Amino acid sequence: MAILWTTFPPFPLRRDRGPLMRAVVCRAYGPPEDVVLGDVAEPVPGPGQLLVRVHAAAVNFPDVLLIAGKYQIRIPVPFTPGSELAGEVLAAGAGAPFAPGQRVFGATAVGAFAELALLDAASATLVPDDADLASAAAFGVTYRTAYHALRSVGQVSERDWVVVLGAAGGVGLAAVDLAVAMGARVLAAASSPEKLELCAQRGAQATVDYDRQDLKARIRELTDDSARVVIDPVGGRYSEPALRGLARGGTFITLGYAAGSIPAIPLNLVLLKGITVRGMEIRTFAADHPVEAARDLDELTQMFAAGTVRPYIGARFPLADTAAALRYVAERKVLGKVVIDVF
């Protein structure tokens, strides 16, 4: 479904204050089909900021929640959604250590679904020479989320069994990729044979279809009752059986609720099995754990530069079809990442 084309003189600046660019705009909270593509004023980089010509932007489930007004924070409308991008530096504000022409990728709260976007230089990273811009755009948010969860929160070691729910989605497949790269054993849980086959191709040693099989029983059976960590970006009815499948003393990490509901965990299970339940939110992790965040980002950047991990891009859409891309993610149809091709 193509996005309605229109013009927005008031957003983000008046017409008489500069040239225009194309951008997707959320004018009022609602479903993906309500976003529109319009002419808005080009942004101007301030101190420490980069003006980036966006070549590719990745779609994440929080983008769907933000435009619906259902995320943990509410962005005042109108705004341009999109939180991760890759492209070419056009201009650098004072103190930003980048030069025009350099290829960068990074994350921003909003603004990625546009021809031009601003990035804080502190959050921008040079794209490795052998990496394409779509892969760079798809790498940042989900892989940082998964790596913080595995490395710092779960403290995963070699040979540990890691159970990943929603394992074919953005965060899920990133967790599969990274856990495999860390030498862990992965049990991938997803909702279809197609999704599980992709997880197996990415290195998962075991799989379970949690819509057709007993998740708790299969976790215990396939891991010989030694599952040490659960990575859960899904929530809903899958969380409790996954927690029940953990070995004694295991760690359950909640990252999000793509299934649409927040589960209520019986605390007696935590008590009887000595389980640790941890939450991890990408927005606040660096502020809460600056040392671990810096270490994780350095290690993750090295892995990407070396080609040890590359995101799987399951679907690509032009900027004019951003509404369809958001709907695709909202309905959990995606395998890996969805990318918007801007240029």
Side-chain angles (χ1 to χ4, degrees):
M1 178 178 180
I3 301 174
L4 174 69
W5 180 272
T6 187
T7 299
F8 302 93
F11 174 78
L13 298 172
R14 295 204 317 261
R15 268 183 177 274
D16 58 0
R17 291 189 180 177
L20 300 178
M21 67 173 184
R22 294 192 309 158
V24 173
V25 178
C26 173
R27 295 182 297 179
Y29 301 123
E33 290 74 20
D34 286 356
V35 299
V36 291
L37 183 63
D39 290 325
V40 304
E42 293 182 1
V44 177
Q49 290 184 318
L50 304 176
L51 177 65
V52 178
R53 182 183 299 281
V54 181
H55 286 254
V59 184
N60 295 292
F61 190 74
D63 297 325
V64 177
L65 298 178
L66 278 171
I67 64 172
K70 296 179 179 179
Y71 195 52
Q72 290 96 325
I73 59 171
R74 287 169 71 92
I75 304 296
V77 294
F79 68 91
T80 291
S83 61
E84 58 182 337
L85 60 94
E88 176 188 353
V89 175
L90 293 184
F98 291 87
Q102 289 183 309
R103 301 193 311 159
V104 296
F105 68 103
T108 179
V110 292
F113 300 158
E115 291 179 325
L116 303 175
L118 296 177
L119 272 183
D120 286 337
S123 71
T125 303
L126 289 174
V127 178
D129 291 339
D130 62 345
D132 64 278
L133 289 169
S135 293
F139 184 75
V141 172
T142 54
Y143 279 78
R144 281 193 296 118
T145 300
Y147 197 60
H148 291 327
L150 292 164
R151 177 75 162 92
S152 292
V153 181
Q155 299 180 355
V156 170
S157 300
E158 288 189 27
R159 303 296 296 166
D160 281 347
W161 270 108
V162 177
V163 178
V164 181
L165 306 186
V171 172
L173 199 57
V176 171
D177 289 346
L178 291 168
V180 169
M182 295 167 71
R185 294 175 289 179
V186 175
L187 191 162
S191 60
S192 73
E194 179 187 17
K195 292 178 179 179
L196 295 176
E197 174 59 27
L198 174 61
C199 294
Q201 292 173 6
R202 304 291 284 194
Q205 290 188 242
T207 61
V208 56
D209 186 331
Y210 49 37
D211 280 351
R212 296 168 180 82
Q213 296 177 289
D214 185 324
L215 179 58
K216 179 190 74 172
R218 290 297 284 161
I219 290 173
R220 288 181 171 178
E221 177 185 351
L222 293 168
T223 67
D224 195 24
D225 202 19
S226 61
R228 202 183 75 74
V229 173
V230 167
I231 301 292
D232 180 12
V234 180
R237 63 190 178 91
Y238 307 106
S239 299
E240 185 177 329
L243 185 144
R244 289 179 180 272
L246 267 173
R248 287 191 58 79
T251 300
F252 183 97
I253 304 172
T254 177
L255 299 177
Y257 310 102
S261 61
I262 300 173
I265 298 296
L267 288 179
N268 65 310
L269 298 177
V270 177
L271 182 152
L272 293 172
K273 300 184 71 171
I275 289 169
T276 299
V277 178
R278 297 281 305 273
M280 204 291 293
E281 186 189 24
I282 191 63
R283 289 189 309 112
T284 57
F285 184 81
D288 293 342
H289 307 280
V291 175
E292 292 88 346
R295 178 203 63 197
D296 292 355
L297 182 58
D298 181 61
E299 293 174 356
L300 193 57
T301 301
Q302 290 181 43
M303 293 169 73
F304 184 61
T308 304
V309 288
R310 286 284 190 273
Y312 178 86
I313 298 173
R316 301 175 76 151
F317 294 81
L319 185 64
D321 288 341
T322 299
L326 288 162
R327 172 57 60 191
Y328 195 71
V329 171
E331 294 180 353
R332 297 173 57 203
K333 294 180 179 179
V334 60
L335 297 177
K337 294 285 290 188
V338 170
V339 166
I340 304 296
D341 291 308
V342 181
F343 281 102

